[in-house]
Amino acid sequence: MVINYRFDTQAIKESFYRIEPNLTNFWRTFFDNVFIIEPDMQKLFRHVDFENLNALASRAMTIAVKNLNQPSYLKYYLRGLGEYQFKVDISEVYFPVFEQAFLEALETYHLNNWNQELENNWREFFHFAFDPLLAGQRSPYG
């Protein structure tokens, strides 16, 4: 299956490899950003084990980036994550909060290498990855 991504896969991979050694801290920064942007979301995560969630998010991001050349598998994998792993009851209204927190965390870890083109690529990647994840969350099978 050939897919025309709306983002530059090579730019995503190169960017990812810059932050990969710090993924656990990256996800901590992400959740800190979420709670700064929308403090009420802390209630939704009060019973969440963040060590496990950070590990899961790190693994998911790694698998997603490293399997961009296998879009059928990737969509299946991401939907499965939504069905069975990410079962935090979060409304889709928070999607923009996650997007902003994700991009801000990326910017933090890229410092001077961050630019509008890279931000646009990651924004498109975010939508590509989270659409099937959210579909999986809504699935009656999860």
Side-chain angles (χ1 to χ4, degrees), residues 58-114:
S58 294
R59 188 169 45 254
M61 188 174 185
T62 300
I63 289 170
V65 170
K66 291 186 177 182
N67 285 281
L68 287 172
N69 61 333
Q70 298 180 45
S72 295
Y73 166 75
L74 193 50
K75 290 278 190 180
Y76 174 80
Y77 170 76
L78 292 169
R79 183 177 174 94
L81 271 179
E83 288 178 4
Y84 302 109
Q85 300 283 332
F86 287 129
K87 282 301 186 186
V88 178
D89 185 26
I90 295 177
S91 167
E92 289 182 39
V93 299
Y94 291 120
F95 188 83
V97 173
F98 287 122
E99 180 180 14
Q100 181 182 348
F102 182 72
L103 293 171
E104 287 178 6
L106 284 164
E107 183 177 10
T108 298
Y109 281 85
H110 280 79
L111 299 173
N112 295 333
N113 295 315
W114 190 251

Side-chain angles (χ1 to χ4, degrees), residues 23-46:
L23 276 181
T24 300
N25 289 330
F26 169 83
W27 288 107
R28 286 186 185 122
T29 300
F30 167 79
F31 283 107
D32 288 347
N33 290 347
V34 166
F35 301 142
I36 290 168
I37 296 165
E38 187 60 56
D40 288 343
M41 287 184 71
Q42 290 181 30
K43 293 181 273 186
L44 300 172
F45 289 90
R46 69 177 163 263

